[in-house]
C-alpha cells in the first residue's frame, strides 16, 4: 500500500523521545513488508538557507535534485541533544517566544496559513529519496532511507500549534494519492484524501491532559490536536491496553472508533548461548562497582529525584542517568556514585543497558515504557514502579517498587543484585515470547490488520 506518514518525530529535526523510537521501528516494519512510504517533512527558513548555500557552492548542476535531498537530510539532522539548556525559567520563556515569533513571521508560515484559509491552492512537492547519491548517512538517520519520497510542506508543524492557539483553520495536505494516512500522535491537520483512503491516528497517551505539572498552554495545544485528529480518524492505534482504556474512560464519545493496540518494538539480537561473565560496567569511573541505568527526560513524572535520593543511601552501587535530567543534574553536592551522561547515541545507550546490572524505570505515569523492552532484549534485569502499564509490559520479568519510597527503591536494587543469575535466566527463558510480542516483525501487521483481529484485551476483562 501507499502510506503517507505524518510524524513530528520524523518530519522535523527530531528530539529522540519515546515517540521517535516507536515510529522509527514502525517504519522499519512497514518497509520490510513492502509498503510504499512517503514522509511529510516540514520545511523552514533554515532548510531554505541550507539549500541556498549548497546552490551557491556550485557543487552540483543547478537543476540537480540532490541539492534539495542533501539539504533535507542536513536539516533533519540538526537537532543538538547536547546543547546546553538555559537554567532560568524566564530565559526559557523568552527563547520560546523568540522562536515562535521567527516561525510566525517566516515565508513558510505565511504560505501554510494562506493554504489553510483557501487563498492558495494545495500543492504537492515531492522529492524522490535517491540515497545512492549520498556518501554517508548518520546512524540516527538511517530510517529515512526507507522512505521512497518526501512530501515537503512549508511551516507545517510550526503552523499547527499557532492555529490551535489562535483558532485559525488547521494546515491542509493533499493526500489523495495514498491508501493510508498514518498520523503519528495527535496532529492538527486537515487531510484531503481519496474515497477509499484510511486515516489511522496513533495515540501514545493522554498525559498532556492529566499531568498537573504541565502548563495550561500545553494542555490546550494537545487537546486541539487530539480533537482535530479524532474527527478525521477512521481507526485508532494505542501503544498499550492501559492507554486505550484510559482513552475510553476520558473520551467515551469516541468509543465508536475502531481501535487496536500496537506495542512499541525493539530489535532482539541473536542471543549468545555460551556462558557469559557478569557485566563489567563501562559507564562508571569505579571499576568493579555494580551499575544501574535510568533513562529520563526533564518531566516531574519521570521521578528521577527519588532514584537519586535512593542511590545516595547506596554508595556501593553506581547510577548512570541517560537523557536530559533538567535541574536534577545541576543539584548541589550530587552523590558521587551518580553520573549524568546526558543524551547518548543509540549504540552507546544499548551498550550502557546491556552492561548494566539493571535498568530502573521510576516513572509515576507512562503510556508504555520503551526502555523496559530495550532492557529485556539485552537480557538486563528491570526494576520499575508498580504502576499498571509497567505490569502490562513487563509482567513477571521485573522487580517492582513503590515509586514514592526511597527505601522501596533501595530494597529493589538489593534484591536484583542478589539474584542476577535468576533474573537473567527468567528473561532468557521467555525470550521467544518477548520476540513475538515486542519484536519488530509483527508491528506492521498489527497496525494494518482489521482492528477486531489485533485488539488485545486486558487480562482482567
Amino acid at each position: 500500500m501507499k502510506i503517507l506518514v505524518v510524524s513530528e518525530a520524523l518530519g522535523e529535526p527530531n528530539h529522540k523521545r519515546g515517540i521517535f523510537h516507536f515510529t522509527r521501528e514502525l517504519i522499519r516494519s512497514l518497509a520490510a513488508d513492502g509498503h510504499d512510504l512517503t514522509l511529510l517533512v516540514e520545511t523552514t527558513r533554515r532548510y531554505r538557507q541550507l539549500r541556498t548555500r549548497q546552490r551557491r557552492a556550485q557543487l552540483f548542476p543547478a537543476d540537480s535534485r540532490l541539492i534539495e535531498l542533501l539539504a533535507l537530510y542536513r536539516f533533519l539532522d540538526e537537532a543538538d541533544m547536547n546543547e546546553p539548556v538555559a537554567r532560568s525559567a524566564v530565559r526559557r520563556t523568552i527563547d520560546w517566544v523568540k522562536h515562535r515569533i521567527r516561525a510566525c513571521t517566516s515565508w513558510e508560515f505565511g504560505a501554510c496559513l494562506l493554504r489553510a484559509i483557501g487563498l492558495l491552492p494545495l500543492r504537492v512537492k515531492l522529492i524522490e529519496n535517491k540515497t545512492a547519491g549520498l556518501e554517508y548517512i548518520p546512524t540516527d538517520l538511517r530510517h529515512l532511507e526507507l522512505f521512497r519520497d518526501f512530501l515537503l510542506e512549508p511551516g507545517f508543524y510550526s503552523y499547527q500549534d499557532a492555529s490551535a492557539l489562535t483558532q485559525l483553520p488547521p494546515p491542509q495536505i493533499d493526500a489523495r494519492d495514498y491508501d493510508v494516512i498514518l498520523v503519528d500522535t495527535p496532529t492538527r491537520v486537515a487531510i484531503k484524501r481519496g474515497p477509499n483512503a484510511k486515516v489511522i491516528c496513533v495515540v501514545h497517551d493522554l498525559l498532556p491532559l492529566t499531568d498537573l505539572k504541565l502548563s495550561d498552554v500545553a494542555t490546550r495545544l494537545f487537546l486541539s490536536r487530539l480533537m482535530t485528529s479524532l474527527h478525521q480518524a477512521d481507526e485508532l492505534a494505542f501503544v498499550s491496553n492501559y492507554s486505550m482504556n484510559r482513552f475510553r474512560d476520558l473520551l467515551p464519545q469516541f468509543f465508536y472508533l475502531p481501535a487496536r493496540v500496537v506495542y512499541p518494538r525493539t530489535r532482539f539480537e541473536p542471543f549468545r548461548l555460551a556462558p557469559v561473565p557478569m557485566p563489567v560496567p563501562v559507564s562508571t569511573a569505579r571499576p568493579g562497582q555494580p551499575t544501574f541505568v535510568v533513562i529520563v527526560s526533564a518531566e516531574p513524572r519521570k521521578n528521577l529525584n527519588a532514584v537519586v535520593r535512593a542511590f545516595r543511601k547506596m554508595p556501593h552501587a553506581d547510577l548512570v542517568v541517560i537523557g536530559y535530567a533538567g535541574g536534577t543534574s545541576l543539584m548541589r553536592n550530587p552523590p558521587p556514585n551518580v553520573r549524568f551522561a546526558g543524551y547518548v547515541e543509540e549504540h552507546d545507550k544499548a551498550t550502557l543497558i546491556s552492561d548494566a546490572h539493571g535498568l530502573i524505570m521510576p516513572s509515576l505515569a507512562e503510556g508504555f515504557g520503551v526502555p523496559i523492552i530495550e532492557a529485556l532484549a539485552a537480557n538486563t534485569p528491570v526494576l520499575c514502579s508498580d504502576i499498571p502499564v509497567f505490569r502490562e509490559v513487563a509482567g513477571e520479568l521485573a522487580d517492582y517498587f513503590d515509586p514514592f519510597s526511597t527505601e522501596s527503591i533501595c530494597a529493589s536494587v538489593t534484591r536484583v543484585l542478589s539474584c542476577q543469575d535468576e533474573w537473567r535466566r527468567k528473561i532468557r527463558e521467555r525470550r521467544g515470547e518477548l520476540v513475538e510480542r515486542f519484536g519488530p516483525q509483527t508491528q506492521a501487521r498489527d497496525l494494518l490488520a482489521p482492528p477486531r483481529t489485533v485488539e488485545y484485551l486486558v487480562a482482567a476483562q
Side-chain angles (χ1 to χ4, degrees), residues 46 114 123 153 191 241 245 254 262 287 292 378 385 404 421 447:
R46 179 58 182 158
L114 292 175
R123 67 167 190 170
E153 286 291 337
I191 303 171
N241 281 295
N245 293 331
F254 293 103
V262 182
F292 292 80
S385 305
F404 297 100
D421 291 337
L447 178 77

Side-chain angles (χ1 to χ4, degrees), residues 218-240:
T219 300
R220 287 170 55 200
L221 285 176
F222 180 81
L223 186 59
S224 178
R225 291 183 179 198
L226 180 65
M227 290 303 171
T228 305
S229 292
L230 293 179
H231 283 112
Q232 295 183 89
D234 298 300
E235 298 175 6
L236 301 179
F238 297 89
V239 298
S240 64

Side-chain angles (χ1 to χ4, degrees), residues 163-405:
S163 70
L165 289 174
T166 58
Q167 297 302 305
L168 288 169
Q172 296 190 49
I173 58 170
D174 188 344
R176 287 176 290 182
D177 289 338
Y178 299 95
D179 304 307
V180 174
I181 299 92
L182 175 63
V183 181
D184 175 46
T185 75
T187 301
R188 186 169 167 79
V189 55
I191 303 171
K192 189 173 184 178
R193 50 173 164 156
N196 298 318
K198 178 169 61 176
V199 176
I200 301 176
C201 180
V202 179
V203 181
H204 292 258
D205 56 62
L206 296 178
L207 290 171
L209 300 182
T210 58
D211 191 335
L212 299 181
K213 290 293 186 178
L214 290 180
S215 68
D216 178 60
V217 171
T219 300
R220 287 170 55 200
L221 285 176
F222 180 81
L223 186 59
S224 178
R225 291 183 179 198
L226 180 65
M227 290 303 171
T228 305
S229 292
L230 293 179
H231 283 112
Q232 295 183 89
D234 298 300
E235 298 175 6
L236 301 179
F238 297 89
V239 298
S240 64
N241 281 295
Y242 175 80
S243 291
M244 182 172 67
N245 293 331
R246 286 288 288 165
F247 178 88
R248 288 176 170 174
D249 290 341
L250 295 173
L251 298 168
Q253 67 268 36
F254 293 103
F255 194 88
Y256 67 90
L257 286 173
R260 79 284 299 281
V261 171
V262 182
Y263 283 130
R265 303 297 207 269
T266 194
R267 283 173 288 181
F268 284 73
E269 302 297 340
F271 190 76
R272 293 174 295 180
L273 296 178
V276 295
M278 289 297 291
V280 177
V282 299
S283 54
T284 176
R286 304 193 303 164
Q289 293 289 341
T291 300
F292 292 80
V293 297
V294 58
I295 302 174
V296 298
S297 60
E299 299 172 86
R301 65 182 176 87
K302 296 294 185 179
N303 198 31
L304 174 60
N305 286 332
V307 180
V308 173
R309 290 196 301 269
F311 272 79
R312 192 183 291 276
K313 301 178 180 180
M314 296 184 293
H316 61 282
D318 289 346
L319 176 70
V320 177
V321 181
I322 301 173
Y324 173 57
T328 305
S329 62
L330 305 173
M331 64 189 303
R332 294 183 178 180
N333 301 319
N337 59 335
V338 176
R339 183 168 76 86
F340 296 93
Y343 170 74
V344 298
E345 297 292 337
E346 287 293 312
H347 174 76
D348 295 330
K349 183 182 74 170
T351 300
L352 290 173
I353 291 175
S354 64
D355 286 351
H357 289 73
L359 175 125
I360 302 176
M361 285 289 288
S363 303
L364 304 175
E366 289 286 354
F368 182 81
V370 168
I372 291 177
I373 61 173
E374 292 179 319
L376 295 177
N379 205 46
T380 297
V382 175
L383 306 75
C384 55
S385 305
D386 195 356
I387 58 177
V389 69
F390 288 169
R391 288 279 183 180
E392 176 185 343
V393 175
E396 299 176 354
L397 297 181
D399 190 274
Y400 297 94
F401 55 78
D402 178 357
F404 297 100
S405 168

Side-chain angles (χ1 to χ4, degrees), residues 47-151:
Y47 164 75
R48 281 193 290 120
Q49 291 172 345
L50 288 168
R51 185 183 59 186
T52 301
R53 185 185 305 163
Q54 290 170 187
R55 284 177 175 166
R56 287 175 179 170
Q58 298 182 349
L59 297 176
F60 308 102
D63 59 348
S64 172
R65 298 308 298 271
L66 188 58
I67 291 176
E68 291 208 51
L69 188 62
L70 186 60
L72 195 65
Y73 270 79
R74 285 177 172 171
F75 169 67
L76 292 176
D77 192 37
E78 280 204 329
D80 184 1
M81 303 305 297
N82 291 310
E83 183 179 1
V85 179
R87 300 183 183 184
S88 166
V90 174
R91 179 60 183 275
R92 288 199 300 270
T93 302
I94 292 173
D95 289 345
W96 183 85
V97 171
K98 288 169 63 177
H99 172 73
R100 290 297 175 188
I101 291 175
R102 283 196 299 269
C104 293
T105 56
S106 67
W107 173 87
E108 287 81 6
F109 185 91
C112 199
L113 169 60
L114 292 175
R115 286 205 302 276
I117 61 181
L119 295 182
L120 279 182
L122 290 179
R123 67 167 190 170
V124 175
K125 183 178 181 182
L126 290 174
I127 294 182
E128 189 175 358
N129 190 21
K130 292 186 175 179
T131 54
L134 304 179
E135 192 70 25
Y136 165 70
I137 297 177
T139 303
D140 281 356
L141 295 180
R142 291 285 175 83
H143 59 279
L144 295 178
E145 296 180 279
L146 303 175
F147 292 96
R148 189 193 69 173
D149 300 299
F150 297 116
L151 173 61

